[in-house]
Amino acid sequence: MSLKISAAIEILKQHDLLVSSHLNEPDLVVTNISYNSREDQTNGIFFCKGNNFKAEYLQQAVNSGAEIYVAEKEFDKDSNNIIVNNIQKALAILSAAFFGNPENDLFIIAFTGTKGKTTTSYFIHDILEKMYPKKVALFSTIDRIVGPNPEDEFKSDLTTPESLDLFRDMRRAVDNGMTHLVMEVSSQAYKKNRVYGLNFDIGGFLNITPDHIGANEHPTYADYLFCKKQLMINSKVNIINRGTNDFDTVYEAAKQTSDDKDIYLFARDTEKFDDIDFELSSKETTLSDSIFNLKAVSDKAKNLHVAQDYKLGIVGDFNEINATAAIIASGLVNVPDKDIYDGLKMAHVPGRMEHINTKSHGTIFVDYAHNYASMKALLSFLRNEYPKSQIKVVVGSPGDKGISRRAGFSKVLTELADSAILTTDDPGFEDPADICKEIDDKIDHSKVSTKIILDRAEAIKEMIDTSSDDDIVVLAAKGDDAYQKTRGKDVPYPTDTVVAKNILKDIEGE
């Protein structure tokens, strides 16, 4: 990979990002790109980004071989430099150019939503794999898959990675023979211009509820919605849940760049809506799967030939909504309905509605539900399916972000849980005891009993130990996360599923 600096300057001019440039070597060609001063910078271009960037980081990069730096202000006037008015946008478009614009060689399907985007992305990936085996890449909150071999699959550190990492992984996927990419696009991806300049073949909008509002994320709900809807503006074909909050705003965003024929609406309740293309309806649910029907309402929906009954290998009526979005996306890629059916039947999403049967300690569900909307959907489903059972929840809330989730947990536990143990979940630089107390203080204890146990594994053990055969135990919010984010470090954690299974092995001998 390489980038001619004169070409980089032209690209920046085209996007109105260039402020000035100083080049001792006008024909400079770099063969390295980085924003991390601790990396090798040999013959590289270095980006001075971040609110806490310090001049010594640049000096470290220069000492490690950086030939030129890009920044929003001049740090060293004697060195080769390019000054821009937006470093994040510059990083995105120059990273794409450095890696040879791999996005042009991939059919990209992207989804956003406060909840469900990970599950939907996995559903689509599993379906497309039926038609394009070992040709489908995945960028999700949980995993990154960039090729057909074991070494090409690894854990994600962000829902949508930094633009440089995003295009590097796309290049690796293309070089590995991938033809399709399914990815999640977070609101932060647009807030921080990680996907600036990127257009998607299919974009999906699942839902939006207040979340990620705080000093380190979105200042207001309006800002959150603004960032979310950008995916619609930057997608050729749009799939929208007609039942989402702020539907009119989302739909108008889609219409900015797409014709009506390229916008597909779906919903569960057709009595509310007379403009949908697809209607879904539940038919049967068991502990391990659910059957639902998808009906094509409009002519363009009928032309996709995906209307039929489907069996979903993950329970939850909310997951039927995610599956519907995945079916429509797959139909748009001309996947036969049989392959869609088989893909959904066998679909598995790590840490999403995983259930563990026990001998005498109830049924355990592990799910990533991490805000009011997702927790309400989960607990409402369980309450409806198991009306005579006690619903017992182990949950915590992260530090340094998503502050509104805490009040949301208080509210949903009061509404739908019988008992709860509050515990640690990625406390960051906050005291987890303070976070738990903040949740506990707003719970109506006349409706739900609570306890605080900060050690998460101990909290899970206590809940399982004190549960009986008819109880439903929910281990919420961490899902398949194999670490606790604590004071700037990722502290290894076995995952809730592993912890629960180990506890059951000790107490039930399995």
Side-chain angles (χ1 to χ4, degrees):
M1 300 293 103
S2 64
L3 179 63
K4 193 172 184 178
I5 295 304
S6 58
I9 289 174
E10 288 304 312
I11 293 171
L12 292 170
K13 286 180 180 177
Q14 291 169 15
H15 288 263
D16 295 321
L17 293 171
L18 183 69
V19 174
S20 65
S21 62
H22 172 78
L23 299 175
N24 297 319
E25 303 175 51
D27 296 324
L28 179 65
V29 176
V30 295
T31 55
N32 199 352
I33 186 169
S34 177
Y35 59 83
N36 185 343
S37 61
R38 292 170 293 185
E39 296 177 343
D40 176 33
Q41 309 289 332
T42 303
N43 192 38
I45 180 171
F46 179 73
F47 290 82
C48 306
K49 80 170 192 73
N51 294 331
N52 299 316
F53 186 83
K54 300 176 182 177
E56 50 260 42
Y57 299 156
L58 173 59
Q59 189 57 55
Q60 184 179 0
V62 171
N63 293 342
S64 297
E67 292 289 343
I68 184 171
Y69 70 89
V70 182
E72 291 183 359
K73 67 177 184 179
E74 196 171 60
F75 289 98
D76 177 3
K77 64 181 180 181
D78 295 324
S79 297
N80 289 314
N81 65 66
I82 299 175
I83 308 303
V84 296
N85 53 39
N86 189 308
I87 190 65
Q88 287 285 162
K89 290 182 178 179
L91 178 62
I93 59 171
L94 295 187
S95 294
F98 180 86
F99 290 107
N101 295 105
E103 70 277 12
N104 295 335
D105 296 317
L106 291 164
F107 188 97
I108 307 178
I109 302 172
F111 268 83
T112 197
T114 302
K115 58 187 175 77
K117 55 185 178 292
T118 300
T119 300
T120 303
S121 296
Y122 267 86
F123 286 167
I124 298 171
H125 178 267
D126 289 353
I127 292 168
L128 295 189
E129 273 287 312
K130 294 290 182 182
M131 188 169 181
Y132 305 102
K134 299 184 178 181
K135 299 285 186 182
V136 186
L138 174 69
F139 295 175
S140 81
T141 299
I142 304 172
D143 293 318
R144 206 88 49 84
I145 301 173
V146 296
N149 301 312
E151 63 269 22
D152 298 320
E153 182 172 346
F154 47 92
K155 291 295 179 184
S156 297
D157 53 357
L158 289 170
T159 297
T160 310
E162 182 57 80
S163 57
L164 188 155
D165 306 309
L166 180 68
F167 288 107
R168 175 188 285 139
D169 286 347
M170 283 187 186
R171 169 48 56 195
R172 183 174 168 185
V174 171
D175 290 347
N176 281 330
M178 303 288 101
T179 57
H180 292 70
L181 167 62
V182 184
M183 64 181 289
E184 300 178 47
V185 177
S186 65
S187 58
Q188 285 293 300
Y190 277 107
K191 181 73 174 173
K192 297 186 176 180
N193 290 301
R194 294 175 189 155
V195 291
Y196 175 75
L198 191 57
N199 291 304
F200 303 94
D201 295 285
I202 298 173
F205 195 102
L206 296 168
N207 49 67
I208 185 167
T209 55
D211 193 27
H212 300 286
I213 314 300
N216 297 323
E217 297 182 279
H218 296 279
T220 62
Y221 174 75
D223 184 72
Y224 180 48
L225 174 60
F226 176 81
C227 292
K228 280 285 188 193
K229 74 178 184 179
Q230 298 308 307
L231 178 61
M232 299 292 93
I233 297 170
N234 290 284
S235 297
K236 298 173 187 175
V237 179
N238 295 276
I239 301 167
I240 305 174
N241 176 5
R242 181 64 178 84
T244 183
N245 292 332
D246 294 288
F247 168 77
D248 290 343
T249 300
V250 176
Y251 185 64
E252 285 304 315
K255 289 181 68 174
Q256 287 184 38
T257 52
S258 299
D259 295 330
D260 286 338
K261 67 180 179 61
D262 292 322
I263 303 173
Y264 291 80
L265 308 181
F266 70 92
R268 180 184 294 278
D269 187 354
T270 54
E271 293 182 1
K272 290 182 180 178
F273 313 114
D274 59 5
D275 56 355
I276 63 170
D277 300 293
F278 287 97
E279 173 193 3
L280 71 140
S281 55
S282 302
K283 296 188 72 173
E284 183 182 337
T285 299
T286 70
L287 264 178
S288 58
D289 56 39
S290 63
I291 298 173
F292 67 98
N293 176 263
L294 187 63
K295 177 183 177 183
V297 179
S298 68
D299 288 339
K300 67 182 178 184
K302 293 173 184 176
N303 289 335
L304 293 187
H305 305 291
V306 295
Q308 64 173 32
D309 286 352
Y310 288 94
K311 176 180 280 191
L312 181 60
I314 300 177
V315 297
D317 48 5
F318 48 92
N319 279 323
E320 293 174 356
I321 292 174
N322 300 330
T324 296
I327 292 166
I328 299 169
S330 301
L332 288 166
V333 192
N334 299 314
V335 179
D337 56 1
K338 183 183 184 304
D339 286 343
I340 298 176
Y341 182 93
D342 290 343
L344 282 179
K345 184 174 67 174
M346 302 303 294
H348 171 72
V349 185
R352 265 63 173 180
M353 284 305 283
E354 294 192 61
H355 79 277
I356 304 169
N357 294 322
T358 75
K359 289 180 179 178
S360 57
H361 291 81
T363 302
I364 301 170
F365 285 91
V366 179
D367 192 80
Y368 188 64
H370 63 287
N371 54 38
Y372 175 78
S374 56
M375 184 76 87
K376 183 176 181 180
L378 169 61
L379 298 187
S380 295
F381 167 75
L382 293 173
R383 179 65 73 193
N384 289 332
E385 291 298 317
Y386 309 99
K388 296 181 180 179
S389 295
Q390 291 279 302
I391 294 180
K392 309 170 84 169
V393 183
V394 177
V395 70
S397 194
D400 309 325
K401 66 176 186 178
I403 307 302
S404 62
R405 295 179 191 174
R406 301 171 193 179
F409 281 148
S410 305
K411 187 172 186 288
V412 74
L413 290 172
T414 297
E415 291 171 345
L416 292 164
D418 294 295
S419 64
I421 297 179
L422 305 177
T423 189
T424 300
D425 182 351
D426 294 339
F429 289 91
E430 290 192 63
D431 185 337
D434 292 340
I435 297 173
C436 290
K437 185 176 185 303
E438 189 174 336
I439 298 170
D440 195 48
D441 284 347
K442 293 183 180 178
I443 289 175
D444 184 344
H445 293 96
S446 68
K447 296 180 179 179
V448 55
S449 62
T450 63
K451 182 182 290 188
I452 295 175
I453 301 176
L454 295 182
D455 184 300
R456 191 175 183 94
E458 283 299 315
I460 293 171
K461 184 177 186 303
E462 169 80 6
M463 189 62 90
I464 293 175
D465 275 341
T466 57
S467 296
S468 58
D469 196 37
D470 292 331
D471 292 340
I472 301 295
V473 176
V474 178
L475 311 181
K478 279 205 77 64
D480 200 49
D481 284 354
Y483 52 81
Q484 289 273 19
K485 290 185 176 294
T486 305
R487 298 201 169 276
K489 295 182 179 179
D490 288 347
V491 180
Y493 173 73
T495 78
D496 283 355
T497 303
V498 171
V499 168
K501 287 182 176 179
N502 286 339
I503 291 167
L504 289 170
K505 186 176 180 180
D506 289 339
I507 64 177
E508 292 190 341
E510 291 188 350

